[in-house]
């Protein structure tokens, strides 16, 4: 996460969700700019409104239903917004200040963190800044690249074609990745230093705490419990798997377990597994024609906690879902190196195998880790998007939920459209549904072994995993649990936010609902719940809400999904640890001796690695702490009802305390973890 103001200049207006807004102060980026709308009306539930107010609400929602609808046909398996150009979508694409500047100065009390993120000088992303710093440090790579001038001509041709083919300057078929892929050398790194794409700007581009120790095996264990998305794949290993034949010989090769027993460790709850088997169906598909060797494999890894306790240790990695069934198959595979495309084979690798082969196995494992985290992030976008559609259709401007939840839906529909479903970054509804050309899906066949279609299919498939309650109820680690043997599990141990969010939602809603009867009589609320669950198909969302406690729970979980469950840690920036794709069709083997050059060659070419680093800023960049974060609301947002400010102040104070506690905890950890810090959780899926 970045933590100070970023005033760099972006060469091209390639933002997700802001390109078409002509009221922003600056259009060259994502996550900044703002707009202004009138103050909210004083909130009332429908049956407490006047007849005139009820009539206006009915008319407002009739128009909203005509303007916003569910589409089930564009993306099989996903429910998407059928009209991305709807007014409600456009009015909630940016940080929206309420009322006039004079009103805000006189009455607004939203800012408790000393931040002014309506300042047009504050920018969220400068995605190309790293390219120029990298060139400055590694100019000889360009000097030795005979294609440099041709690359510049190619880029100019792409831009010219874009401007003359169907849309003008705001219709970008050129992907944000293209300038980097074109201008940077498409050669393999010659040293680990040339895999470091971070510019020397530690405040804006802080490296992961483990960056200088990325070869340490313990880093791999740490990234499973300090996960880069809220949905870690690590599970207790309680039963041997037929396709992953680990035994005591393998278990005891790691120093901390030389006198241990794998079955006893399993019985004591000290063994854990990460198995990416859900991605096998996608990894065996033919790669993109221009992937130049990039692949994903479907690894399995074993981890364990020593008898004496301590950090989670990496025991073994198997690069695919299968090892040879017998010696005959093993001999045939190793002599010919030919793989069955549907059932690729691999060895089980351990830290005692050849050093560089082991480093290659870790890179292969972490490449799937990185892609899985991106899939998590975008599949969550797909899962929660129907909540916004239903909200726009059923919750009127005067409804109490409008001011409470609307900022948490900011840019969700727009970013889904531009990033995943569309062939451009525009608001043009005619581009909706070109499923393999989004700003993000369109990148995949350029930088990985997946095509855009494979990536989209994986995202939609993963979106069916989520449940509205199950994945918004953090694991309680205060008592015995499946991970009790792991002393520090930051993904869960740092997540104390749901009770704070629920308290805020309860205090807010108590100003408007007097009894459970008020909840049951609120037909706008009931239609919102029913549509979200049924037409929106949001798994686990309550189809009816019968009490104040159920209402508070629902509202708190919406906020949690849009902020805490939207988090993504910047592991992608450490490409030498977690590259996008394993750049070889030959997996590591335990009977070979490899070199550092072999390891460098399984990393992506420099232009791909640098391009991924630059574009990953869309996901994780913030200019500073508390920038449009959880707990932040635009100036003037609640000045229509001054009673709310006392609750808001308490909410923000509790978030600040929670954030301070995490920072204090990080001081005693070998490596810090920031993903569950309120200060760096965005308030909505705007990135």
């Amino acid at each position: 996460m970045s933590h100070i103001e970023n005033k760099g200049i972006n060469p091209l207006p390639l933002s997700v969700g802001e390109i078409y807004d002509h009221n922003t102060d600056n259009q060259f980026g994502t996550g900044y700019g703002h707009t202004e709308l009138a103050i909210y009306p004083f909130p009332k539930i429908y049956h407490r409104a006047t007849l005139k107010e009820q009539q206006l609400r009915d008319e407002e929602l009739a128009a909203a239903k005509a303007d916003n609808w569910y589409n089930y046909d564009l993306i099989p398996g996903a429910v998407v917004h059928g009209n991305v150009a709807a007014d409600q979508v456009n009015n909630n694409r940016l940080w929206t200040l309420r009322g006039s500047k004079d009103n805000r100065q006189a009455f607004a009390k939203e800012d408790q963190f000393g931040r002014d993120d309506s300042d047009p000088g504050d920018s969220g992303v400068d995605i190309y800044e790293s390219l120029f710093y990298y060139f400055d440090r590694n100019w000889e790579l360009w000097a030795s690249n005979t294609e440099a001038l041709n690359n510049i001509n190619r880029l100019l041709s792409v831009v010219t074609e874009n401007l003359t083919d169907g849309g003008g300057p705001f219709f970008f078929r050129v992907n944000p990745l293209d300038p980097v892929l074109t201008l940077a050398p498409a050669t393999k790194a010659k040293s680990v230093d040339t895999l470091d794409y971070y510019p020397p700007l530690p405040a804006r581009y802080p490296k992961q705490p483990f960056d200088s120790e990325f070869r340490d095996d313990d880093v791999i264990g740490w990234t499973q419990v300090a996960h880069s998305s809220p949905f870690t794949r690590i599970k207790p290993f309680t039963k041997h798997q037929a396709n992953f034949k680990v035994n005591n010989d393998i278990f005891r090769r790691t120093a901390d377990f030389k006198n241990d027993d794998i079955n006893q460790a399993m019985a004591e709850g000290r063994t854990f597994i990460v198995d990416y088997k859900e991605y096998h169906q996608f990894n065996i598909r033919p790669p993109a024609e221009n992937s130049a060797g990039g692949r994903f494999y479907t690894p399995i890894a074993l981890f364990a906690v020593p008898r004496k306790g301590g950090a989670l240790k990496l025991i073994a990695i198997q690069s695919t879902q299968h090892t040879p069934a017998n010696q005959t198959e093993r001999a045939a595979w190793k002599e010919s190196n030919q793989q069955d495309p549907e059932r690729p084979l691999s060895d089980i690798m351990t830290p005692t195998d050849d050093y560089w082969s082991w480093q290659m196995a870790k890179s292969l494992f972490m490449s799937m880790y990185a892609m899985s985290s991106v899939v998590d992030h975008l599949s969550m976008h797909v899962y929660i998007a129907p909540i916004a559609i239903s909200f726009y259709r059923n919750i009127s401007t005067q409804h109490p939920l409008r001011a409470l939840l609307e900022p948490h839906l900011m840019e969700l529909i727009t970013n889904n459209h531009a990033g995943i479903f569309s062939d451009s970054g525009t608001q043009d509804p005619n581009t909706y549904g070109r499923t393999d050309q989004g700003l993000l899906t369109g990148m995949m066949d350029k930088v990985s072994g997946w095509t855009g279609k494979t990536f989209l299919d994986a995202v939609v498939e993963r979106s069916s995993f989520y449940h509205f309650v199950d994945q918004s109820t953090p694991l309680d680690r205060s008592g015995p649990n499946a991970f009790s043997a792991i002393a520090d599990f930051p993904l869960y141990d740092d997540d104390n936010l749901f009770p704070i969010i629920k308290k805020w939602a309860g205090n807010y809603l108590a100003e408007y609902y007097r009894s459970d009867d008020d909840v049951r009589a609120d037909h706008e609320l009931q239609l919102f719940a029913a549509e979200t669950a049924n037409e929106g198909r949001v798994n686990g969302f309550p189809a009816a809400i019968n009490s104040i406690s159920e209402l508070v729970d629902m509202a708190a979980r919406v906020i949690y999904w849009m902020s805490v469950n939207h988090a993504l840690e910047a592991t992608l920036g450490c490409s030498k640890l977690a590259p996008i794709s394993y750049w070889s069709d030959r997996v590591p083997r335990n009977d070979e001796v490899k070199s550092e050059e072999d390891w460098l060659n399984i990393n992506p070419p420099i232009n791909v690695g640098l391009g991924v680093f630059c574009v990953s800023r869309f996901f994780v960049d913030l200019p500073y702490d508390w920038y449009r974060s959880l707990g932040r609301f635009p100036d003037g947002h609640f000045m229509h009802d001054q009673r709310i400010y006392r609750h808001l102040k308490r909410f923000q104070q509790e978030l600040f305390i929670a954030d301070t506690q995490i920072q204090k905890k990080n001081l005693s950890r070998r490596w810090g973890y920031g993903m569950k810090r309120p200060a760096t959780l965005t308030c909505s899926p705007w990135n």
Side-chain angles (χ1 to χ4, degrees):
M1 298 291 186
S2 295
H3 302 301
I4 69 168
E5 181 178 318
N6 175 355
K7 294 189 177 180
I9 298 172
N10 293 281
L12 295 173
L14 293 171
S15 67
V16 178
E18 293 183 20
I19 296 173
Y20 246 46
D21 188 87
H22 301 292
N23 297 316
T24 62
D25 295 293
N26 189 328
Q27 296 174 0
F28 293 174
T30 183
Y32 69 103
H34 68 272
T35 190
E36 296 189 10
L37 291 177
I39 188 174
Y40 281 111
F42 189 85
K44 295 179 182 178
I45 50 180
Y46 187 87
H47 58 274
R48 299 197 187 284
T50 66
L51 291 177
K52 179 62 175 176
E53 288 170 336
Q54 290 177 350
Q55 180 183 354
L56 291 174
R57 290 167 78 150
D58 291 342
E59 292 172 356
E60 175 192 343
L61 291 180
K65 285 181 170 64
D67 215 18
N68 300 268
W69 62 86
Y70 310 91
N71 191 301
Y72 309 100
D73 300 324
L74 290 177
I75 316 294
V79 179
V80 302
H81 197 295
N83 178 25
V84 73
D87 286 344
Q88 292 80 6
V89 174
N90 283 320
N91 287 340
N92 197 20
R93 288 196 299 110
L94 295 175
W95 190 250
T96 303
L97 311 182
R98 293 282 168 175
S100 68
K101 184 175 181 180
D102 290 342
N103 290 150
R104 292 195 296 270
Q105 289 178 342
F107 302 110
K109 303 174 185 176
E110 279 78 13
D111 185 9
Q112 303 292 330
F113 299 108
R115 303 301 190 193
D116 180 12
D117 52 19
S118 65
D119 184 340
D122 290 341
S123 65
V125 173
D126 183 349
I127 66 172
Y128 298 119
E129 187 174 32
S130 305
L131 172 64
F132 301 105
Y133 279 100
Y134 188 82
F135 174 83
D136 187 56
R137 296 200 317 272
N138 300 281
W139 60 268
E140 69 280 359
L141 293 173
W142 274 264
S144 62
N145 180 8
T146 58
E147 292 296 308
L149 290 178
N150 287 336
N151 286 346
I152 294 173
N153 287 331
R154 283 172 51 214
L155 178 60
L156 292 174
S157 297
V158 169
V159 173
T160 301
E161 180 182 355
N162 170 77
L163 294 176
T164 58
D165 181 19
F170 293 103
F171 188 89
F172 271 90
R173 280 204 174 101
V174 57
N175 192 280
L177 190 69
D178 288 336
V180 186
L181 291 182
T182 303
L183 292 177
T187 57
K188 289 301 181 76
K190 300 302 181 184
S191 72
V192 70
D193 290 338
T194 52
L195 289 173
D196 186 350
Y197 303 117
Y198 283 90
L201 304 169
R204 284 211 302 275
Y205 290 81
K207 294 182 178 181
Q208 286 285 354
F210 48 71
D211 185 82
S212 64
E213 302 175 85
F214 78 98
R215 293 205 194 282
D216 192 316
D217 292 353
D218 286 353
V219 170
I220 311 299
W222 174 250
T223 57
Q224 309 315 304
V225 296
H227 203 258
S228 60
S229 88
F231 311 105
T232 180
R233 295 304 194 281
I234 195 165
K235 294 180 172 62
F237 184 60
T238 58
K239 183 179 179 181
H240 287 283
Q241 295 183 187
N243 68 331
F244 185 47
K245 300 179 178 67
V246 289
N247 53 31
N248 270 331
D249 175 57
I250 290 169
F251 191 60
R252 291 169 177 165
R253 293 179 195 175
T254 300
D256 290 273
F257 304 91
K258 62 183 180 180
N259 297 315
D260 210 336
D261 179 82
I262 189 170
N263 293 311
Q264 182 179 352
M266 291 167 67
E268 293 171 353
R270 294 190 286 113
T271 51
F272 304 89
I273 190 170
V274 173
D275 188 346
Y276 287 109
K277 60 185 176 182
E278 68 191 88
Y279 292 105
H280 177 73
Q281 60 173 312
F282 305 111
N283 292 340
I284 62 175
R285 292 185 185 182
E289 292 182 3
N290 59 345
S291 69
R295 299 288 185 272
F296 284 109
Y297 296 95
T298 314
I300 309 172
L302 180 67
F303 299 85
V305 175
R307 281 175 174 158
K308 64 181 186 241
L312 188 69
K313 300 291 183 180
L314 174 60
I315 305 296
I317 296 172
Q318 181 176 296
S319 298
T320 67
Q321 290 290 295
H322 300 284
T323 56
N326 50 54
Q327 290 302 319
T328 301
E329 188 175 44
R330 177 175 296 276
W333 166 50
K334 295 210 168 181
E335 287 173 11
S336 66
N337 198 41
Q338 296 298 308
Q339 292 277 25
D340 178 348
E342 301 293 317
R343 186 177 171 271
L345 302 175
S346 60
D347 286 325
I348 294 178
M349 307 284 293
T350 73
T352 59
D353 288 316
D354 169 66
Y355 177 81
W356 288 109
S357 297
W358 176 238
Q359 302 309 311
M360 292 165 70
K362 291 193 297 182
S363 293
L364 182 148
F365 174 80
M366 289 301 292
S367 71
M368 193 69 254
Y369 172 97
M371 178 55 87
S372 175
S373 296
V374 174
V375 170
D376 282 347
H377 186 82
L378 293 175
S379 63
M380 184 277 303
H381 273 245
V382 173
Y383 170 74
I384 63 176
I387 297 175
I389 304 172
S390 180
F391 185 85
Y392 297 145
R393 287 170 52 87
N394 295 291
I395 300 300
S396 65
T397 309
Q398 196 177 16
H399 195 281
L401 284 179
R402 192 63 176 247
L404 177 65
L405 297 183
E406 192 164 37
H408 297 291
L409 307 177
M410 182 178 68
E411 286 201 23
L412 172 58
I413 297 300
T414 303
N415 282 356
N416 283 11
H417 169 63
I420 311 173
F421 300 134
S422 166
D423 76 342
S424 77
T426 75
Q427 291 293 99
D428 182 358
N430 294 322
T431 68
Y432 207 62
R434 297 177 184 174
T435 60
D436 60 349
Q437 293 298 314
L439 294 181
L440 300 174
T441 52
M443 286 170 37
M444 287 304 150
D445 58 359
K446 300 172 185 286
V447 301
S448 80
W450 282 4
T451 64
K453 180 64 164 58
T454 298
F455 179 76
L456 181 64
D457 289 348
V459 166
V460 172
E461 171 75 17
R462 179 65 176 171
S463 70
S464 66
F465 156 79
Y466 303 113
H467 185 279
F468 185 69
V469 174
D470 292 350
Q471 273 74 51
S472 60
T473 304
L475 177 68
D476 183 3
R477 291 258 294 160
S478 61
N481 59 83
F483 301 101
S484 291
I486 301 175
D488 188 16
F489 203 134
L491 181 71
Y492 299 126
D493 297 344
D494 291 359
D495 190 355
N496 300 308
L497 295 175
F498 187 71
I500 297 173
I501 295 170
K502 193 169 184 178
K503 182 178 178 181
W504 152 245
N507 288 337
Y508 174 93
L509 292 166
E511 298 290 355
Y512 308 109
Y513 291 86
R514 301 174 187 173
S515 68
D516 293 345
D517 290 338
D518 276 347
V519 173
R520 288 188 287 267
D522 184 348
H523 77 277
E524 290 179 357
L525 170 65
Q526 299 302 334
L527 286 173
F528 168 60
E531 275 202 14
T532 304
N534 297 317
E535 280 79 1
R537 303 175 184 175
V538 177
N539 185 35
F541 200 94
I545 299 174
N546 296 304
S547 66
I548 291 176
S549 63
E550 290 180 5
L551 170 60
V552 169
D553 187 78
M554 178 275 291
R557 294 186 191 280
V558 170
I559 296 170
Y560 189 94
W561 271 102
M562 303 294 167
S563 55
V564 184
N565 271 353
H566 175 255
L568 188 67
E569 184 73 329
T571 305
L572 287 176
C574 187
S575 57
K576 55 185 181 284
L577 172 71
I580 288 291
S581 282
Y582 183 88
W583 234 255
S584 175
D585 58 5
R586 183 182 176 94
V587 299
R589 294 174 16 174
N590 60 18
D591 61 349
E592 294 181 326
V593 175
K594 295 294 186 180
S595 66
E596 183 176 19
E597 182 179 5
D598 293 317
W599 176 81
L600 289 167
N601 284 336
I602 58 88
N603 280 274
I606 289 169
N607 62 337
V608 171
L610 181 57
V612 170
F613 180 86
C614 290
V615 177
S616 70
R617 303 284 286 174
F618 275 133
F619 292 103
V620 299
D621 180 72
L622 294 177
Y624 44 66
D625 287 0
W626 303 109
Y627 180 83
R628 301 188 185 182
S629 65
L630 178 62
R632 293 283 286 114
F633 289 90
D635 289 346
H637 191 78
F638 292 113
M639 67 181 176
H640 58 277
D641 188 351
Q642 297 284 311
R643 298 175 302 172
I644 300 304
Y645 285 124
R646 62 193 174 102
H647 305 312
L648 178 62
K649 182 176 181 179
R650 187 176 301 116
F651 178 45
Q652 292 173 330
Q653 287 173 337
E654 292 183 0
L655 290 173
F656 187 83
I657 291 170
D659 190 82
T660 302
Q661 289 172 339
I662 292 173
Q663 293 190 68
K664 183 177 179 180
K665 193 183 299 184
N666 280 336
L667 295 176
S668 63
R669 289 169 168 158
R670 180 177 177 183
W671 301 300
Y673 181 63
M675 196 181 75
K676 291 301 179 76
R677 286 185 56 203
T680 57
L681 292 170
T682 57
C683 67
S684 78
W686 56 255
N687 67 341

